[in-house]
Amino acid sequence: MTEPTHPSASAVDLEDQAIEQWVHLTSGRASEADRSAFARWRGQSADHEAAARLAERIWQALPQTCAAQRFVVPTKVTRRPLRWAALAAGVGALALTGLSEPAKVYFADYATAVGERRALTLEDGSQVWLNSGSALSVRYSSSRREISLIKGEALFQVSKDASRPFVVQASGGSVQAVGTRFDVDRQGEQVRVGVTEGEVKVSSGGAVVPLRAAQRLEYVAGTAPSPTGALDLGSASAWQRGKLIFNRQPLAEVFADIERYLPGSLVIAGSLPTTAVSGVFNLDDIPGMLEMLARTQPVKIYRMPWLTVVVVNQTRA
């Protein structure tokens, strides 16, 4: 690793240099000479030292992300040839014992990649729009239409069939409708439900809550749903039209909504201010959206192929 020397570099240039060097130092390929070079680099000035400390803050924040806390190192599996009967038995056993979320996503009937949105028409004529990074499976019988939302967000336009309830299962709870239009957003164990037409019944933690048009609520696996609140119909399901609309939404929620459209992980280094954000953003221009937030909010945003880091500017927050 060469030691960069930019006597007149701006603070932003120094921060970029520090992050680039820190990536190399933590890659497992750095030598003692590289570490010594970085020590000399950070000692050139107070600005160099501040940039180095910023890079360290970013890396220290990584283990605090939800993705890092959920990560489990996979065990090494010895693969043997399987006959079809043995494979069927194995799949049956997995269905009975349960799968991890990544495995369930792999076996899902429908899934979208990060940045992809997809429209589906089910066998009964019901329509489904899958948001970025989402997955679901479909199980229809003569008496019930059941959807398992494994990950992400889906908007449902349900064909009426009173003899076969339409039920969406998500994180230990369910949303039941006969003929209506509603959105279910699952992020880990938390589920948000919003109704734009008709009415649904949300069941979780032993409680059943009716939810009508222009209402929303949320629940966490194993707990009763929250009280109902008003749903902003102007911004609800805007992602279906390729837009994100924020109406005085807290900055933390804005980044939580954006995260699903970013490859890799999003890290927030510092405490975000309680800024209310309003605006209409194009989902086909995520870099432009991040650039706008960096210009108008007290944050700096660094993008790498697998990581987006939001650093709170304490002097402006």
Side-chain angles (χ1 to χ4, degrees), residues 270-287:
S271 297
L272 289 170
T274 57
T275 310
V277 177
S278 297
V280 179
F281 299 93
N282 190 340
L283 285 177
D284 294 327
D285 186 20
I286 296 298

Side-chain angles (χ1 to χ4, degrees), residues 120-192:
L120 312 169
T121 300
L122 304 183
E123 63 181 63
D124 66 330
S126 294
Q127 292 182 294
V128 182
W129 291 266
L130 272 181
N131 204 347
S132 169
S134 302
L136 60 76
S137 290
V138 181
R139 291 186 297 274
Y140 275 20
S141 69
S142 59
S143 60
R144 185 179 176 91
R145 297 171 291 171
E146 186 170 294
I147 306 294
S148 177
L149 182 60
I150 300 164
K151 178 184 179 183
E153 184 175 17
L155 173 65
F156 301 92
Q157 177 74 58
V158 181
S159 293
K160 293 184 178 181
D161 186 348
S163 65
R164 290 199 302 166
F166 189 98
V167 180
V168 179
Q169 304 282 357
S171 190
S174 66
V175 184
Q176 180 174 329
V178 175
T180 188
R181 183 182 176 95
F182 63 99
D183 184 280
V184 182
D185 184 6
R186 175 179 180 174
Q187 298 299 320
E189 294 188 340
Q190 185 175 37
V191 177
R192 294 184 294 184

Side-chain angles (χ1 to χ4, degrees), residues 1-25:
M1 180 178 69
T2 59
E3 183 178 352
T5 54
H6 299 280
S8 59
S10 69
V12 172
D13 291 334
L14 292 177
E15 290 166 2
D16 290 342
Q17 293 171 35
I19 292 171
E20 181 180 349
Q21 292 182 82
W22 197 259
V23 169
H24 177 69
L25 292 175

Side-chain angles (χ1 to χ4, degrees), residues 13-234:
D13 291 334
L14 292 177
E15 290 166 2
D16 290 342
Q17 293 171 35
I19 292 171
E20 181 180 349
Q21 292 182 82
W22 197 259
V23 169
H24 177 69
L25 292 175
T26 57
S27 68
R29 300 187 301 271
S31 65
E32 285 303 317
D34 292 332
R35 300 183 190 282
S36 297
F38 182 63
R40 291 193 299 273
W41 181 89
R42 71 186 298 168
Q44 290 183 41
S45 70
D47 289 340
H48 284 73
E49 176 63 23
R53 288 183 181 275
L54 172 64
E56 291 173 350
R57 275 178 57 202
I58 291 172
W59 241 251
Q60 289 166 0
L62 284 176
Q64 308 304 319
T65 65
C66 293
Q69 292 172 2
R70 290 195 302 265
F71 177 74
V72 177
V73 178
T75 56
K76 192 172 183 179
V77 178
T78 302
R79 299 185 180 275
R80 298 186 179 90
L82 291 174
R83 294 185 181 274
W84 284 110
L87 178 60
V91 172
L94 284 172
L96 291 174
T97 58
L99 295 167
S100 64
E101 181 178 290
K104 288 180 179 178
V105 171
Y106 182 80
F107 287 105
D109 292 330
Y110 303 99
T112 52
V114 172
E116 178 188 8
R117 300 181 301 279
R118 186 178 179 187
L120 312 169
T121 300
L122 304 183
E123 63 181 63
D124 66 330
S126 294
Q127 292 182 294
V128 182
W129 291 266
L130 272 181
N131 204 347
S132 169
S134 302
L136 60 76
S137 290
V138 181
R139 291 186 297 274
Y140 275 20
S141 69
S142 59
S143 60
R144 185 179 176 91
R145 297 171 291 171
E146 186 170 294
I147 306 294
S148 177
L149 182 60
I150 300 164
K151 178 184 179 183
E153 184 175 17
L155 173 65
F156 301 92
Q157 177 74 58
V158 181
S159 293
K160 293 184 178 181
D161 186 348
S163 65
R164 290 199 302 166
F166 189 98
V167 180
V168 179
Q169 304 282 357
S171 190
S174 66
V175 184
Q176 180 174 329
V178 175
T180 188
R181 183 182 176 95
F182 63 99
D183 184 280
V184 182
D185 184 6
R186 175 179 180 174
Q187 298 299 320
E189 294 188 340
Q190 185 175 37
V191 177
R192 294 184 294 184
V193 183
V195 179
T196 51
E197 295 177 12
E199 181 179 344
V200 302
K201 289 188 293 186
V202 181
S203 302
S204 180
V208 180
V209 178
L211 197 63
R212 298 175 176 83
Q215 289 185 330
R216 61 179 175 84
L217 59 71
E218 61 185 42
Y219 67 84
V220 178
T223 64
S226 69
T228 60
L231 178 68
D232 184 355
L233 295 177

Side-chain angles (χ1 to χ4, degrees), residues 262-305:
L262 296 172
S265 298
L266 174 71
V267 173
I268 308 293
S271 297
L272 289 170
T274 57
T275 310
V277 177
S278 297
V280 179
F281 299 93
N282 190 340
L283 285 177
D284 294 327
D285 186 20
I286 296 298
M289 187 187 311
L290 294 175
E291 182 182 349
M292 175 65 71
L293 289 172
R295 289 202 310 265
T296 59
Q297 304 299 322
V299 297
K300 295 180 181 178
I301 300 176
Y302 302 89
R303 296 198 69 193
M304 289 167 257

